[in-house]
């Protein structure tokens, strides 16, 4: 069946779906080629149907070259131009959807294949995409335009064509900074003013204010994160760094984290890592104290991109021109992380941290870097602990057992002091026990650090609590999965008003509770403690994606969460006390490889983490919507 002869039951002459049923391959290709050539010049009703069909095909088979060879890029480019120039046509029938679908199709076919991207550039798709990026239509079309341009910018062969349009970088920077406010004020805030085709696109016909609002958050996050990904392509080229490294933009980057709705994107921290990798970028980053503080918080957090923040801090410390600007904030954070062995694919990360910190101390004598006495003491204490580890390897086992037993006695004294209300005395005992406890007795050291973190919490010392909880989490196997330390650090972050960091730790704590074999928890029908749920609710409000925009536009009062304080609550069983059997197991671990099986365990836990994130996100989304609309 050809283009000129539709089936008897098809209402559209030359229907694309009829063409696709053609059994003769050569006739089918000729008909598709003709269809792509003629479609942009036609004004018939029903054009959105074949475009949506092409969109489904592009999403399902993005690596299939058939439509690429037959001119789909030229067709989509012409349709976007038509929508931009002919508003009468755009507003007729359902043509309003066509520019969105056309840009989405371009992005899908250029997502994986560099040769497809080359064909797309030769077809002239960049100029119409730039017009969409400029906001000539709406934020919905901006979203798919920045996605498509981001794919094109990732390839060496097509990046120059993207970069030749100088405004793309500036537009992407502005979009990254303003995207959340645009979506909030143009869609989320006023339910009665939402464009119907936006609602249809977001929900795919499954309407409802709640679903529209939820999808708007997801799409707003993608709009911001895809803008950052496009900027990231430029950031690899030193000549673009002066444009990117403006103080106003850099200051906002740590807060661009994608939220729970887009937890797979490295977002702002990913771009910061690219910037810090180059010397030209490190200077402007080091000049923003807020960024260094944020990097330290991310480095200590349970965020999936923790290693990116660590990389940034290490590069800044290794650069003589930036070291002196960041050393006082960066060193304490890195000292807390020095016990970490591996983080995902990053092996021996702790050793890298120690080596860089040792270089900082040694450079003190050269006059390059001035280190205050407190920072110097922290590094020297760390280096001494590493020396202790070497000495202990040559110690007789009997001596190690004596040290371990002495540490246990002192820890029990600390527990007794804590129970009697002498919190500062208990903290001192835990410090004494840590000095006695063998370095390779990791399980016992996890408990000691975690218990001391709780003391710091009760003494209103959140920074010290974060440091000790972080050390416990770094020592734990698998890393970042010690439930009590996660909870204590979540509380400490809450005390400092760091909602995102507190939220991530609280969610991981809930995840660990749900998988726990603790007999105290197994007796409960719901293993998740109420106080943890309350903290998650509170922090989800405080870290809400649209919060800043909502405050600016009067949708949220800054002090609105003051009455929902739950950060001071503690768990029901505060103390972990390593049992005699645990100590025996620990001794056996010292002899063997204590990293055995770590990779598989982390992979299994990460699957649970993602499921937990999704469940919690959807479980509280209704409440968030009601609170903020």
């Amino acid at each position: 069946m050809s283009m000129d002869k539709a089936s008897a039951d098809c209402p559209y002459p030359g229907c694309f779906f009829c063409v696709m049923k053609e059994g003769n391959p050569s006739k089918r290709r000729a008909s598709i080629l003709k269809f792509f050539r003629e479609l942009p010049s036609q004004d018939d009703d029903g054009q959105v149907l074949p475009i949506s069909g092409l969109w489904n095909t592009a999403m399902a088979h993005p690596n299939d070259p058939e439509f690429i060879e037959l001119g789909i890029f030229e067709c989509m480019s012409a349709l976007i131009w038509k929508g931009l120039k002919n508003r009468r046509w755009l507003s007729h029938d359902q043509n309003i959807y066509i520019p969105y679908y056309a840009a989405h199709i371009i992005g899908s076919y250029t997502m994986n294949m560099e040769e497809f991207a080359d064909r797309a550039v030769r077809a002239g798709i960049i100029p119409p995409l730039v017009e969409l990026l400029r906001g000539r239509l709406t934020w919905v079309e901006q979203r798919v335009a920045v996605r498509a341009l981001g794919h094109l910018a990732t390839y060496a062969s097509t990046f120059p064509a993207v970069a030749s349009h100088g405004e793309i970088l500036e537009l992407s920077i502005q979009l990254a900074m303003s995207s959340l406010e645009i979506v909030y004020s143009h869609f989320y805030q006023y339910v009665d003013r939402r464009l119907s085709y936006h609602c249809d696109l977001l929900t795919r016909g499954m309407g409802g204010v709640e679903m529209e609002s939820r999808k708007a958050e997801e799409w707003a996050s993608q709009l911001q994160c895809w803008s950052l990904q496009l900027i990231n392509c430029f950031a690899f080229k030193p000549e673009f760094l002066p444009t990117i490294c403006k103080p106003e933009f850099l200051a906002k980057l740590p807060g661009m984290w994608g939220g729970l709705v887009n937890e797979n994107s490295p977002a702002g921290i990913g771009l910061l890592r690219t910037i810090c990798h180059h010397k030209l970028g490190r200077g402007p980053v080091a000049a923003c104290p807020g960024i260094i503080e944020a990097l330290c918080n991310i480095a200590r957090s349970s965020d999936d991109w923790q290693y990116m923040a660590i990389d940034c801090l290490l590069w800044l410390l290794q650069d003589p021109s930036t070291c002196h600007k960041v050393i006082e904030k960066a060193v304490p954070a890195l000292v807390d992380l020095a016990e970490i062995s591996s983080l995902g694919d990053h092996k021996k990360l702790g050793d890298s941290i120690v080596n860089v910190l040792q270089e900082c101390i040694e450079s003190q004598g050269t006059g390059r870097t001035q280190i205050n006495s407190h920072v110097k003491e922290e590094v020297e204490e760390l280096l001494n602990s590493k020396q202790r580890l070497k000495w202990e390897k040559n110690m007789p086992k009997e001596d190690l057992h004596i040290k371990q037993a002495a540490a246990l006695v002192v820890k029990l004294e600390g527990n007794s002091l804590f129970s009697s209300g002498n919190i500062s005395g208990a903290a001192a005992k835990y410090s004494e026990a840590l000095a006695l406890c063998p370095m390779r007795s990791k399980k016992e050291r996890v408990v000691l650090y975690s218990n001391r973190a709780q003391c710091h919490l009760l003494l209103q010392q959140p920074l010290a609590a974060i440091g000790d909880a972080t050390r416990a989490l770094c020592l734990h196997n698998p890393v970042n999965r010690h439930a009590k330390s996660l909870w204590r650090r979540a509380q400490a972050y809450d005390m400092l008003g760091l909602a995102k960091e507190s939220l991530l730790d609280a969610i991981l704590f809930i995840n660990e509770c749900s998988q726990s074999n603790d007999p105290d928890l197994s007796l409960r029908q719901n293993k998740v403690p109420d106080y943890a749920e309350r903290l998650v609710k509170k922090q989800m409000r405080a870290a809400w994606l649209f919060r800043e925009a909502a405050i600016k536009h009067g949708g949220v009062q800054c002090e609105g969460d003051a009455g929902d304080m739950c950060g001071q609550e503690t768990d029901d069983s505060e103390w972990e006390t390593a049992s005699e059997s645990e100590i025996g197991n620990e001794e056996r671990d010292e002899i063997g490889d204590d990293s055995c099986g770590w990779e598989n365990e982390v992979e299994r836990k990460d699957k649970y983490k993602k499921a937990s994130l999704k469940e919690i996100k959807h479980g509280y989304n209704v409440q968030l919507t009601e609170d903020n609309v």
Side-chain angles (χ1 to χ4, degrees):
M1 188 180 299
S2 70
M3 282 280 294
D4 301 318
K5 186 178 179 182
S7 61
D9 58 350
C10 180
Y12 299 110
C15 171
F16 176 74
F17 299 103
C18 294
V19 169
M20 294 299 291
K21 295 175 183 177
E22 172 61 62
N24 186 311
S26 60
K27 286 185 177 181
R28 179 176 177 273
R29 285 177 61 86
S31 296
I32 294 172
L33 180 65
K34 183 180 179 183
F35 176 81
F36 285 152
R37 285 178 178 172
E38 295 180 352
L39 182 62
S41 62
Q42 294 176 355
D43 289 328
D44 301 329
D45 291 349
Q47 286 181 306
V48 75
L49 292 175
I51 302 299
S52 64
L54 289 168
W55 170 76
N56 279 312
T57 301
M59 291 283 285
H61 307 287
N63 301 335
D64 188 335
E66 181 183 25
F67 290 166
I68 311 301
E69 296 167 357
L70 297 175
I72 193 170
F73 287 135
E74 289 84 353
C75 179
M76 296 303 108
S77 176
L79 286 170
I80 295 173
W81 278 125
K82 186 173 183 178
L84 290 168
K85 295 177 179 179
N86 189 340
R87 294 306 174 101
R88 181 195 60 78
W89 172 82
L90 188 66
S91 61
H92 179 67
D93 194 39
Q94 292 186 314
N95 294 339
I96 190 69
Y97 293 90
I98 290 178
Y100 169 85
Y101 282 128
H104 208 305
I105 288 167
I106 293 168
S108 294
Y109 277 123
T110 55
M111 182 168 50
N112 303 322
M113 310 292 287
E114 187 167 4
E115 56 265 41
F116 292 3
D118 286 330
R119 292 285 294 262
V121 170
R122 292 199 299 272
I125 54 88
I126 292 181
L129 289 176
V130 172
E131 291 301 309
L132 295 181
L133 186 67
R134 290 174 62 190
R136 284 280 298 277
L137 293 181
T138 72
W139 65 270
V140 165
E141 288 79 19
Q142 282 180 307
R143 170 180 168 271
V144 286
V146 77
R147 169 180 177 260
L149 289 167
H151 293 326
L152 294 171
T154 59
Y155 303 114
S157 62
T158 51
F159 175 79
V162 176
S164 67
H165 294 260
E167 63 183 318
I168 288 179
L169 178 56
E170 291 281 4
L171 289 170
S172 300
I173 292 172
Q174 289 303 315
L175 193 56
M177 290 195 291
S178 61
S179 55
L180 302 185
E181 184 176 349
I182 289 171
V183 178
Y184 179 82
S185 59
H186 290 191
F187 184 85
Y188 195 101
Q189 186 177 21
Y190 301 109
V191 176
D192 56 341
R193 299 185 197 173
R194 295 179 179 180
L195 298 177
S196 60
Y197 89 96
H198 283 183
C199 296
D200 289 341
L201 285 173
L202 263 67
T203 61
R204 299 288 184 263
M206 299 171 62
V209 172
E210 178 194 327
M211 180 172 286
E212 291 167 9
S213 299
R214 183 183 299 171
K215 292 297 291 184
E217 289 190 43
E218 182 180 338
W219 282 27
S221 175
Q222 290 172 351
L223 178 57
Q224 185 177 72
C225 290
W226 289 343
S227 299
L228 292 170
Q229 190 271 330
L230 178 51
I231 299 165
N232 195 62
C233 296
F234 283 87
F236 282 105
K237 312 290 183 181
E239 62 266 30
F240 297 107
L241 286 175
T243 302
I244 297 170
C245 293
K246 302 289 177 60
E248 180 189 7
F249 180 56
L250 289 180
K252 289 181 176 290
L253 271 182
M256 298 181 187
W257 66 294
L260 295 183
V261 294
N262 204 18
E263 68 267 16
N264 293 326
S265 170
I269 185 61
L271 178 54
L272 272 174
R273 183 175 184 267
T274 303
I275 292 170
C276 287
H277 194 264
H278 200 282
K279 187 175 182 65
L280 284 177
R282 290 194 286 270
V285 170
C288 297
I291 294 182
I292 306 307
E293 189 171 335
L295 285 172
C296 292
N297 290 332
I298 297 170
R300 286 189 179 109
S301 76
S302 53
D303 192 290
D304 286 343
W305 311 119
Q306 180 183 9
Y307 76 90
M308 292 189 172
I310 295 173
D311 283 348
C312 291
L313 293 175
L314 293 178
W315 289 331
L316 289 165
L317 284 175
Q318 288 175 297
D319 189 332
S321 65
T322 57
C323 181
H324 65 284
K325 296 179 181 179
V326 306
I327 192 165
E328 290 190 17
K329 289 187 176 180
V331 167
L334 291 172
V335 166
D336 292 340
L337 294 159
E339 295 283 6
I340 202 166
S341 54
S342 300
L343 197 60
D345 295 332
H346 297 259
K347 308 301 180 186
K348 298 184 178 180
L349 194 54
D351 292 343
S352 300
I353 291 171
V354 172
N355 292 337
V356 171
L357 294 179
Q358 187 169 9
E359 289 173 7
C360 287
I361 289 292
E362 292 172 353
S363 69
Q364 173 80 3
T366 66
R368 290 189 324 187
T369 306
Q370 296 301 316
I371 305 178
N372 69 41
S373 57
H374 178 66
V375 170
K376 187 175 181 180
E377 286 173 9
E378 283 191 295
V379 177
E380 288 176 344
E381 183 182 341
L382 170 63
L383 297 177
N384 289 337
S385 70
K386 293 299 179 183
Q387 191 62 43
R388 266 181 65 190
L389 182 60
K390 292 180 181 178
W391 291 336
E392 287 174 2
K393 287 181 179 179
N394 299 319
M395 286 181 68
K397 287 185 179 180
E398 293 78 7
D399 291 349
L400 284 174
H401 291 165
I402 291 170
K403 286 171 65 70
Q404 196 169 35
L408 177 59
V409 169
V410 176
K411 184 185 75 172
L412 293 175
E413 291 174 0
N415 288 357
S416 179
L417 288 171
F418 181 89
S419 298
S420 66
N422 186 349
I423 307 303
S424 58
K429 284 295 180 182
Y430 296 133
S431 297
E432 185 181 340
L434 280 165
L436 288 168
C437 188
M439 297 300 294
R440 289 183 64 85
S441 298
K442 292 185 178 182
K443 291 181 182 178
E444 189 67 18
R445 294 181 73 81
V446 167
V447 172
L448 289 168
Y449 276 125
S450 189
N451 284 0
R452 194 170 71 175
Q454 180 61 30
C455 291
H456 290 311
L457 270 178
L458 295 173
L459 293 169
Q460 299 292 302
Q461 298 168 346
L463 289 175
I466 289 169
D468 276 344
T470 300
R471 293 183 185 204
L473 288 162
C474 288
L475 283 167
H476 191 258
N477 184 15
V479 69
N480 287 335
R481 293 296 186 271
H482 185 246
K484 291 183 186 295
S485 296
L486 285 166
W487 175 243
R488 286 156 187 166
R489 196 170 65 177
Q491 291 176 285
Y493 279 134
D494 180 48
M495 292 170 71
L496 294 173
L498 297 172
K500 169 200 164 187
E501 289 78 7
S502 178
L503 174 62
L504 292 175
D505 279 351
I507 288 175
L508 273 181
F509 168 71
I510 288 176
N511 186 67
E512 293 302 309
C513 286
S514 67
Q515 304 302 322
S516 174
N517 294 319
D518 188 327
D520 291 337
L521 288 174
S522 62
L523 296 174
R524 304 179 187 174
Q525 187 173 6
N526 178 15
K527 291 186 179 183
V528 178
D530 292 341
Y531 54 79
E533 289 190 5
R534 289 198 297 275
L535 183 60
V536 167
K537 284 183 179 180
K538 172 188 175 182
Q539 305 302 22
M540 285 191 75
R541 283 194 291 273
W544 183 44
L545 198 67
F546 291 132
R547 183 172 178 80
E548 185 177 338
I551 291 171
K552 182 175 179 180
H553 291 270
V556 168
Q557 299 300 318
C558 296
E559 65 276 10
D561 294 326
D564 188 16
M565 297 298 291
C566 54
Q568 300 302 312
E569 271 192 80
T570 55
D571 45 294
D572 293 336
S573 62
E574 282 307 328
W575 292 125
E576 287 187 286
T577 306
S579 66
E580 297 297 327
S581 61
E582 285 174 341
I583 294 171
N585 289 336
E586 190 172 7
E587 290 171 6
R588 288 191 290 275
D589 285 342
E590 290 176 38
I591 298 169
D593 180 4
D594 58 10
S595 66
C596 182
W598 186 86
E599 295 290 337
N600 291 337
E601 178 68 1
V602 168
E603 183 178 351
R604 181 178 68 82
K605 292 280 189 176
D606 281 345
K607 289 179 182 177
Y608 287 131
K609 175 189 172 187
K610 292 194 181 300
S612 178
L613 282 168
K614 194 171 291 185
E615 288 166 8
I616 290 168
K617 174 182 71 179
H618 290 307
Y620 293 123
N621 217 22
V622 176
Q623 181 66 43
L624 286 173
T625 303
E626 291 171 352
D627 288 346
N628 291 294
V629 168

